[in-house]
Amino acid sequence: SSKQVLKRAIEELRESEKKYKELADFLPEMVFEADLDGKIRFTNKRAFEAFGYTKEDFDKGISLFNMVVPEDREKMRQNLRHLFQGEALTDNEYTGLRKNGSTFPVLASTNLIVCGNKLVGLRGVVIDITERKLAEEALRSERDKFRGMLSAISDGVDIINKNYIIEFQNKLLREHYGDRVGEKCYAAYMGLERPCKFCSIQEAIGSGNPRRIELVAPNGKNYELSSSPFKDVDGEVKVIELVRDITEHKLADEILR
């Protein structure tokens, strides 16, 4: 009968929901579902552990907005508004707020739940990115120390990427050429429209070995340029250039001859 068919369909739906929830509890990420007002209707075990709430807390009613610090709530509203308007959203970073008031960085990816062409709610995944943030901060700290050491060197030092873009200049080079970070090295230093004929950057990056050349700059001075390849924290191979003024040395050689 139709009643039996309906009863069987309801039982199958409940069983499907049970399996879905059990599967979600095995995931290492936090999973949630919420209504259009942001009230959380379902979340997995990992979310309870990360935010410090109990199932009873959620049964009483908790909003997505309760899960982030007050400073991030307007940002979340704006992101959800864009999502409702059909805009594609990338992952969004927020500062998560635990029940005990402590905070931690999270990355949230949210999608719409549509049933019968009708928008009925939100579904998303939240990842605790504490370890990633700590690693990024450690890398920034090491990079700052490294560049601080380069700034103290008495010769000119810069870092140039494979596209000839200057990413760093120490104090000496900034004093001689101005702050040219973000510019092409051949334009900033030599006033050219294309890479120098004697440039050794690509050779150093390609071979993985240092290269050394001597050149005469537009100011008439002689320089020794040493280019050493290295892998930066972003994974890209770049070169550290050591620029030494050897004009006086060259003049002395001329006199001795």
Side-chain angles (χ1 to χ4, degrees), residues 101-168:
S102 62
T103 62
F104 65 113
V106 298
L107 187 68
S109 177
T110 308
N111 290 301
L112 301 175
I113 300 175
V114 179
C115 184
N117 294 321
K118 183 180 179 181
L119 182 60
V120 296
L122 303 163
R123 179 182 293 125
V125 176
V126 179
I127 302 171
D128 181 344
I129 56 173
T130 301
E131 291 187 5
R132 193 187 84 179
K133 287 292 186 180
L134 290 173
E136 289 175 352
E137 182 57 36
L139 285 173
R140 278 194 294 268
S141 178
E142 288 301 312
R143 183 168 183 163
D144 289 344
K145 290 178 183 177
F146 173 60
R147 294 194 172 191
M149 292 169 58
L150 295 182
S151 291
I153 296 175
S154 58
D155 293 317
V157 181
D158 62 15
I159 294 176
I160 298 176
N161 66 27
K162 63 183 180 182
N163 297 316
Y164 305 98
I165 299 295
I166 301 169
E167 294 193 357
F168 168 81

Side-chain angles (χ1 to χ4, degrees), residues 206-228:
S207 67
N209 297 313
R211 290 292 182 267
R212 175 185 169 278
I213 61 171
E214 292 184 6
L215 60 92
V216 179
N219 60 11
K221 290 188 174 184
N222 296 87
Y223 292 95
E224 179 183 86
L225 179 62
S226 299
S227 302
S228 300

Side-chain angles (χ1 to χ4, degrees), residues 56-247:
E56 289 70 27
D57 293 325
F58 278 94
D59 289 342
K60 292 176 183 177
I62 295 179
S63 170
L64 290 174
F65 300 102
N66 297 132
M67 313 305 287
V68 299
V69 295
E71 297 84 354
D72 278 358
R73 288 170 188 169
E74 182 56 33
K75 173 184 175 182
M76 179 179 283
R77 288 189 184 91
Q78 292 286 350
N79 287 335
L80 293 179
R81 192 173 296 120
H82 292 317
L83 187 63
F84 292 149
Q85 291 171 353
E87 297 181 26
L89 281 186
T90 55
D91 295 341
N92 294 285
E93 288 190 19
Y94 301 101
T95 299
L97 180 64
R98 297 187 180 94
K99 183 179 179 180
N100 63 10
S102 62
T103 62
F104 65 113
V106 298
L107 187 68
S109 177
T110 308
N111 290 301
L112 301 175
I113 300 175
V114 179
C115 184
N117 294 321
K118 183 180 179 181
L119 182 60
V120 296
L122 303 163
R123 179 182 293 125
V125 176
V126 179
I127 302 171
D128 181 344
I129 56 173
T130 301
E131 291 187 5
R132 193 187 84 179
K133 287 292 186 180
L134 290 173
E136 289 175 352
E137 182 57 36
L139 285 173
R140 278 194 294 268
S141 178
E142 288 301 312
R143 183 168 183 163
D144 289 344
K145 290 178 183 177
F146 173 60
R147 294 194 172 191
M149 292 169 58
L150 295 182
S151 291
I153 296 175
S154 58
D155 293 317
V157 181
D158 62 15
I159 294 176
I160 298 176
N161 66 27
K162 63 183 180 182
N163 297 316
Y164 305 98
I165 299 295
I166 301 169
E167 294 193 357
F168 168 81
Q169 293 172 293
N170 71 344
K171 183 178 179 181
L172 184 65
L173 285 184
R174 289 198 304 272
E175 289 175 348
H176 278 73
Y177 296 97
D179 187 350
R180 312 306 289 269
V181 170
E183 298 181 31
K184 301 281 188 179
C185 56
Y186 52 80
Y189 298 148
M190 305 296 288
L192 300 176
E193 295 181 355
R194 56 182 59 86
C196 309
K197 292 181 179 180
F198 53 77
C199 180
S200 59
I201 290 176
Q202 297 301 337
E203 186 179 354
I205 290 176
S207 67
N209 297 313
R211 290 292 182 267
R212 175 185 169 278
I213 61 171
E214 292 184 6
L215 60 92
V216 179
N219 60 11
K221 290 188 174 184
N222 296 87
Y223 292 95
E224 179 183 86
L225 179 62
S226 299
S227 302
S228 300
F230 76 103
K231 183 175 284 189
D232 205 350
V233 294
D234 59 8
E236 184 180 338
V237 178
K238 303 170 184 177
V239 295
I240 296 178
E241 290 189 324
L242 182 66
V243 185
R244 177 168 296 165
D245 187 341
I246 57 172
T247 304

Side-chain angles (χ1 to χ4, degrees), residues 1-14:
S1 68
S2 59
K3 288 185 178 180
Q4 291 177 324
V5 172
L6 178 60
K7 182 179 179 181
R8 189 180 305 113
I10 292 173
E11 289 175 351
E12 289 177 354
L13 178 60
R14 287 174 178 169

